Amino acid sequence: MFSKVLSAAIDGARCVPVSVEVDASNGLPAFLMVGDLSYQVKEAQERVRTAIRNSGMTIPPKRVTVNLAPADVRKDGNHFDLPIAASLMIAFGFLEAEKFDGVMLAGELGLNGRINGVRGILPFVETAYKKGCRLCIVPKQNYREARMIGQISVLGVESLQEFLSCARKENWGLLEDTKEEPVLLPAKKEEIEDFADIQGQEYVKRAAVIAAAGMHNFLMTGPKGTGKTMIARRIPGILPEPTKEELLEVSKIYSISGLLSEEKPFLLSRPFRAPHHTISPAALAGGGKYPKAGEITLAHKGVLFLDEFPEFSHECIELLRQPLEERKILISRSGGSYLFPADFMLVAAMNHCPCGQFPDLNRCSCTFQEVKRYQNRISGPILDRIDIVAEVSGISYQELTGKRKEKSSKNFRKEVEMAVKVQGERYQEKKIRFNSQLSGKLLEEFCNVSVEGQRILEKAYKKMRLSARAYHKILKTARTIADLEQEEEIKEAHISEALCYRRVEGKDT
């Protein structure tokens, strides 16, 4: 007796279709499972047999072999329980094999037959749709998450008995007409602090708006207590609205990482990740014997905020080089290579010295060597990849206690949205959306600099000893500044302002 049903395995940041095959034959009773399985998957045999028995069925004592193919893909997770149980019941005649053509299953079984929620349902359903399946069977807890894909029928079940009851009906696969596009309810906006709470710091606010409008990497430097972290925490409130495709892409990553829930089945805003400086390189980039997404990938299409930047380990800081440049991160292991998306906006904050008082020499207790050593923790190649560097200075007592009404995040967001609209119209036939993504010939095509602007650029390139990368960063930043002012040509003022964001404590980048 042979049977086969369809499921999928999580492989890095993607899903791979997996055939769950069962062969039941005469011989000494045994239950063998093969196919490059983790211990979590191997334990499924006890959960499945007990769940089937507690659901009112008895499996005859046979030699049972379960194969999860292809064998060269690692099978991990708890979602193979339901496919294995279904394939077993088909092999022993409890269910009809024909009804499972074009059906993909996933779910964890409790010993009482309850079907529990699993991670990775969003890419699981997308894989089923791309493979041409007509129906996905998922745990009831994951039903809302599965419905986000649309264009394929989804059935949510709570127990093995409910699953059996549905599978035995004549209209199997047509139980719920769920192929229509899912309706996304309005997001419950998390409380994001407002820029209106910050007194003064107009220069840094302006830099933050430019960074948000073009999704540029942004570094704030300055003494302690001047508002660097406050400004960074308010940046999510002025970021461009994500597209549905971006939301789906990010939600799939969070689904695989197990960060979605029944109450929050998908993301409705750009992610904002702020790991502590004690984080390990593997947790930041992703890793392990079988790599999983790290904080860099979890910040995809959103913001990765690194507070106290120099306090991160040297390995953590330097591993940012590849993802900042290529917008992806490749992790290689003996078992294969795993590619994770990493298109994020880096926002970082740092003091000038260990005590945080420099350049106030009356209060700073650090030696010149200590200050230089501290600043050198951020290497030249990393600074070269940062588009905007803004100095955050202390504010006066009058500014701190003043009653002047500051511009709110809502007002800043309007400026950002206008610039994003201009970029959207300009790049509608390209595969990019923001100025920070410009490269190669696109820079020449879309960065038309005036004669006066070219003269300043040439002078700055020689005097500041800019690298080619830094030169391109200036062009991209100037392009965004021009977009904020609704100017098609990049003028002298735009170049001059962009150049102001290229130096750190007398250190040429």
Side-chain angles (χ1 to χ4, degrees):
M1 294 178 286
F2 173 81
S3 65
K4 181 173 74 172
V5 299
L6 191 63
S7 188
I10 296 172
D11 184 39
R14 65 191 181 109
C15 269
V16 179
V18 169
S19 296
V20 180
E21 304 172 336
V22 169
D23 178 77
S25 58
N26 295 324
L28 290 175
F31 197 109
L32 305 175
M33 295 183 66
V34 295
D36 195 7
L37 314 177
S38 68
Y39 283 109
Q40 198 174 14
V41 178
K42 289 179 180 178
E43 290 170 351
Q45 60 177 292
E46 297 302 327
R47 293 193 296 271
V48 169
R49 288 195 297 187
T50 306
I52 291 176
R53 185 178 69 248
N54 288 334
S55 296
M57 290 166 287
T58 302
I59 296 179
K62 298 278 187 177
R63 181 179 178 84
V64 176
T65 303
V66 179
N67 176 42
L68 275 65
D72 60 347
V73 175
R74 178 71 174 177
K75 321 300 186 308
D76 193 13
N78 55 356
H79 60 279
F80 289 107
D81 292 9
L82 182 58
I84 292 172
S87 197
L88 270 173
M89 290 186 286
I90 293 170
F92 285 106
F94 295 108
L95 295 173
E96 298 176 24
E98 295 78 14
K99 290 186 176 181
F100 286 84
D101 290 336
V103 178
M104 188 176 278
L105 306 91
E108 179 189 9
L109 289 175
L111 298 183
N112 61 352
R114 178 179 173 80
I115 299 177
N116 301 316
V118 296
R119 64 186 176 90
I121 284 295
L122 204 55
F124 174 90
V125 176
E126 185 183 50
T127 301
Y129 169 69
K130 290 180 177 179
K131 193 170 175 61
C133 294
R134 59 185 174 86
L135 175 67
C136 273
I137 302 172
V138 301
K140 195 72 173 181
Q141 292 173 244
N142 298 118
Y143 178 72
R144 288 186 64 206
E145 179 184 341
R147 285 279 294 107
M148 187 180 177
I149 298 296
Q151 300 175 315
I152 183 171
S153 294
V154 177
L155 177 65
V157 289
E158 289 186 297
S159 66
L160 199 55
Q161 287 183 331
E162 181 184 351
F163 165 72
L164 286 167
S165 176
C166 293
R168 286 168 176 166
K169 293 180 179 179
E170 291 298 324
N171 60 345
W172 169 252
L174 299 174
L175 297 173
E176 296 186 32
D177 186 13
T178 58
K179 290 186 179 181
E180 71 277 5
E181 288 293 323
V183 177
L184 300 184
L185 299 175
K188 290 184 178 179
K189 294 290 183 181
E190 298 180 4
E191 287 296 325
I192 300 177
E193 296 162 300
D194 201 298
F195 269 100
D197 301 331
I198 301 176
Q199 298 294 323
Q201 304 294 10
E202 299 303 324
Y203 170 74
V204 189
K205 290 179 183 178
R206 166 70 173 175
V209 169
I210 296 169
M215 293 297 283
H216 298 287
N217 298 322
F218 181 35
L219 172 64
M220 290 173 284
T221 67
K224 65 178 184 178
T226 51
K228 300 184 294 296
T229 303
M230 289 179 65
I231 291 170
R233 294 283 180 185
R234 284 157 174 78
I235 287 178
I238 63 173
L239 288 177
E241 281 291 338
T243 63
K244 183 181 176 181
E245 291 73 22
E246 288 175 331
L247 287 175
L248 181 58
E249 189 176 353
V250 177
S251 295
K252 286 191 295 183
I253 297 169
Y254 275 64
S255 178
I256 289 174
S257 301
L259 298 177
L260 298 181
S261 64
E262 190 173 4
E263 295 74 29
K264 186 181 178 181
F266 37 80
L267 299 184
L268 291 171
S269 59
R270 295 185 183 275
F272 181 86
R273 306 294 297 185
H276 192 261
H277 59 77
T278 55
I279 190 172
S280 68
L284 184 62
K289 186 176 181 181
Y290 302 100
K292 296 180 180 179
E295 290 291 333
I296 286 176
T297 299
L298 293 176
H300 183 60
K301 299 299 180 183
V303 173
L304 177 66
F305 174 46
L306 303 182
D307 202 3
E308 305 297 344
F309 198 22
E311 298 297 335
F312 284 79
S313 69
H314 176 75
E315 292 79 6
C316 283
I317 294 173
E318 294 305 312
L319 65 79
L320 292 170
R321 292 190 187 191
Q322 182 196 13
L324 284 176
E325 192 73 13
E326 301 178 7
R327 302 183 186 277
K328 59 186 178 182
I329 185 164
L330 181 67
I331 300 175
S332 298
R333 295 289 182 268
S334 58
S337 297
Y338 301 80
L339 187 66
F340 292 93
D343 185 6
F344 62 94
M345 171 185 171
L346 175 66
V347 177
M350 62 176 284
N351 299 326
H352 292 309
C353 68
C355 78
Q357 300 289 0
F358 189 87
D360 187 348
L361 299 181
N362 294 323
R363 302 174 64 189
C364 180
S365 59
C366 304
T367 64
F368 175 77
Q369 288 76 16
E370 288 175 328
V371 173
K372 190 172 182 61
R373 191 181 305 117
Y374 189 79
Q375 294 180 10
N376 284 340
R377 291 184 185 180
I378 312 301
S379 65
I382 293 296
L383 288 174
D384 223 28
R385 288 166 167 81
I386 295 176
D387 306 51
I388 298 173
V389 179
E391 173 70 22
V392 186
S393 57
I395 62 174
S396 66
Y397 177 79
Q398 287 73 21
E399 286 180 308
L400 186 62
T401 59
K403 301 298 182 181
R404 192 183 75 168
K405 188 176 181 180
E406 300 289 341
K407 287 181 70 173
S408 67
S409 294
K410 185 177 181 180
N411 292 328
F412 284 135
R413 184 163 190 145
K414 287 180 181 178
E415 297 178 29
V416 170
E417 287 174 347
M418 284 193 300
V420 170
K421 184 179 178 181
V422 171
Q423 294 171 71
E425 293 172 354
R426 181 188 298 127
Y427 307 131
Q428 59 182 343
E429 296 181 0
K430 307 297 180 181
K431 293 183 178 180
I432 63 173
R433 189 182 175 198
F434 302 107
N435 291 326
S436 60
Q437 298 170 319
L438 286 170
S439 61
K441 292 184 178 179
L442 293 179
L443 276 168
E444 298 178 12
E445 182 179 351
F446 296 113
C447 293
N448 181 27
V449 185
S450 67
V451 176
E452 295 80 6
Q454 291 176 357
R455 179 178 53 80
I456 294 177
L457 266 176
E458 182 180 1
K459 186 176 179 181
Y461 186 82
K462 296 176 180 178
K463 188 173 182 180
M464 297 174 68
R465 291 172 291 173
L466 297 172
S467 66
R469 183 190 289 115
Y471 171 78
H472 290 151
K473 293 289 187 185
I474 291 169
L475 273 180
K476 295 175 189 178
T477 304
R479 176 71 273 169
T480 301
I481 295 170
D483 290 340
L484 283 166
E485 297 180 5
Q486 305 293 297
E487 296 280 357
E488 184 58 34
E489 185 180 53
I490 301 175
K491 298 182 178 178
E492 181 181 2
H494 307 145
I495 295 292
S496 298
E497 185 175 359
L499 286 169
C500 292
Y501 302 124
R502 288 306 307 174
R503 294 174 67 89
V504 181
E505 285 305 307
K507 196 173 188 176
D508 290 338
T509 57

